[in-house]
Amino acid sequence: MNILYMIIPMRAYDVRIDSSAYTAGLPSLSGIYGFTHAIERNIKELIDDEFFVTGFSYLVHNINYSEGTKRFSQSKRKIKNSNDLAAPMEDLKLAIIDQTIIIEVESKLTASDFYNSDKLNDVFSKLRFMGGHFNIQMPHSNQIKGGCLEVLDATDGGFSDALKACNQNGYIVEDATYLVENASNQLQYTLDLIKQPKLDKSTGKPFSIVRPQGYFVPIHIGYVGLDKPSLKHDTRDNNVNHIYAEPVIGVARCRTIRSAIINLTKSNDLQEDPTDCRFIWQNSALNPEDFETKNLYIVYGVNP
C-alpha cells in the first residue's frame, strides 16, 4: 500500500461554525472528519476499493463570518406527553472559508493513477462541506498548477512537503490539548492559554504561563460515548444501534503555516521539539483510552 497526501484547496460557502454550545468560530473537526470519510466512501466506490483515510490536517487561509438565515426542520414533532411542538432548528453562525484540507491516506494506487483517473471529479461533485457547498479545482492529468487538488507521495518529503505545496498565507489548526493534560488545574490552564495575557502594571509586561506561539481556541473534537451502543426508540432508524454521547472540547493552536514547516524541517528557530507538533487529526472512535495517540472522538450508529 502507498501512503499519499491528498491536498484539497477549496472555498466553502455557508459553513456552519456553531459546532457546539461551547465553541464557535471554526468548523467542528469531527465534521471535517465526516467530510473526509465521505471522500473515502466515494473513492472506494469509484476508483480504489482499498482506499483508506488515516488522518487529516486543516489549514485556514481566510474566513468571513455572516448571519445565516433560519433553517427549519423538515417536520415538527410533538414533544412526548405535551401539546407543545419541538422548536425548529436554527443556524445563525455561518462563514465563507478559504481553506485547505490535507488528507493522509493509504491506497494501492499511486499519485499518477489519481491524476489519470476520469472519476476524480465525480468523487466531489455531490458532496457538501459542513452544510454548505464548495468550489474545488481539479487537476488536468499531471499538469499541476497552484490552487488545484494535488496528490503527493508521502515517502518523498513527508508532511512538510505537503505543507510546502499549499498556500502558505494562513494558519494550520494544530492539536494543543496535550499541553493541558499534565496541568494541576486543567480548566484554568486552558483558560490561560485561550485568553489574551494581561499586563503586569509593575513591569509593563504581560503575565505569562509557559505558552507556545500562536492563537489558542477551544474547538469541537467530537463526541464521547456515555453507554454501550444499543437499539433505542424514537430515533431516525430503529434498526440501528445508537449511543448516548456528549460533546468533547479540545484546545487547538492556530499557528502560521510557515512556522509549522520550520518545525518539521528542524530549522528550529522557535525552540520547539518537532515531535511535539500534532498536525494530523485522527479518529479514536469510541475508545477514550486512545487519547494519547489519537485526538478525535467520533460516535456513530453501529449495525446490530
Side-chain angles (χ1 to χ4, degrees):
M1 297 290 283
N2 299 307
I3 307 299
L4 306 172
Y5 290 117
M6 182 172 285
I7 303 168
I8 310 172
M10 67 170 75
R11 170 169 287 185
Y13 300 86
D14 294 335
V15 178
R16 291 192 57 177
I17 47 88
D18 52 342
S19 50
S20 77
Y22 314 101
T23 58
L26 287 176
S28 163
L29 290 174
S30 60
I32 299 174
Y33 170 78
F35 178 74
T36 66
H37 191 61
I39 293 173
E40 176 187 290
R41 289 197 307 269
N42 288 354
I43 289 180
K44 279 184 174 179
E45 179 181 347
L46 298 172
I47 302 175
D48 176 11
D49 59 359
E50 296 182 18
F51 185 90
F52 179 71
V53 172
T54 57
F56 70 89
S57 188
Y58 185 55
L59 286 62
V60 178
H61 307 293
N62 188 51
I63 185 166
N64 292 302
Y65 300 106
S66 63
E67 292 293 328
T69 57
K70 294 181 180 180
R71 298 179 180 177
F72 294 93
S73 55
Q74 292 181 350
S75 61
K76 294 183 178 181
R77 292 181 53 192
K78 266 198 169 184
I79 301 174
K80 261 189 177 179
N81 303 322
S82 170
N83 293 324
D84 297 330
L85 293 174
M89 295 185 296
E90 186 175 334
D91 296 335
L92 294 177
K93 298 182 180 67
L94 302 176
I96 299 173
I97 308 177
D98 292 320
Q99 60 189 11
T100 300
I101 301 174
I102 304 175
I103 306 178
E104 184 183 70
V105 306
E106 294 179 0
S107 175
K108 65 183 180 183
L109 303 181
T110 65
S112 295
D113 293 330
F114 280 98
Y115 289 136
N116 294 325
S117 172
D118 59 354
K119 297 291 186 181
L120 198 55
N121 189 63
D122 295 336
V123 170
F124 296 91
S125 62
K126 295 182 180 180
L127 294 182
R128 294 178 68 82
F129 180 82
M130 303 290 292
H133 63 285
F134 60 89
N135 293 336
I136 179 173
Q137 185 174 351
M138 289 292 141
H140 297 286
S141 186
N142 286 318
Q143 298 178 0
I144 307 304
K145 61 180 181 179
C148 67
L149 184 145
E150 189 169 350
V151 183
L152 297 180
D153 190 329
T155 58
D156 290 342
F159 185 69
S160 61
D161 273 6
L163 284 182
K164 291 174 184 177
C166 300
N167 175 1
Q168 294 179 30
N169 293 322
Y171 295 91
I172 184 169
V173 180
E174 178 189 8
D175 176 23
T177 303
Y178 73 96
L179 292 174
V180 305
E181 287 177 346
N182 297 321
S184 57
N185 187 329
Q186 293 187 357
L187 178 58
Q188 185 58 52
Y189 191 84
T190 300
L191 295 175
D192 289 340
L193 280 174
I194 293 170
K195 67 185 180 183
Q196 294 293 327
K198 296 181 179 179
L199 292 180
D200 184 343
K201 293 181 179 179
S202 62
T203 64
K205 297 180 180 180
F207 291 107
S208 63
I209 59 175
V210 179
R211 178 191 178 100
Q213 295 181 356
Y215 298 96
F216 292 82
V217 294
I219 197 162
H220 182 244
I221 59 176
Y223 299 89
V224 66
L226 301 178
D227 64 346
K228 293 182 179 180
S230 61
L231 296 178
K232 293 179 171 60
H233 298 293
D234 298 324
T235 60
R236 286 184 297 178
D237 189 341
N238 291 329
N239 297 316
V240 172
N241 284 345
H242 288 74
I243 188 171
Y244 291 109
E246 63 182 4
V248 179
I249 309 302
V251 181
R253 172 165 62 156
C254 297
R255 59 185 294 180
T256 64
I257 298 169
R258 289 186 177 90
S259 75
I261 294 172
I262 289 172
N263 275 142
L264 290 170
T265 54
K266 301 183 181 179
S267 301
N268 205 352
D269 297 334
L270 300 180
Q271 301 299 315
E272 294 183 40
D273 185 349
T275 60
D276 282 342
C277 304
R278 305 189 182 190
F279 302 123
I280 303 294
W281 296 88
Q282 297 175 303
N283 176 23
S284 61
L286 304 180
N287 187 2
E289 285 77 18
D290 282 349
F291 186 79
E292 291 185 0
T293 55
K294 297 182 181 180
N295 43 24
L296 290 179
Y297 294 90
I298 311 299
V299 174
Y300 47 85
V302 181
N303 289 325

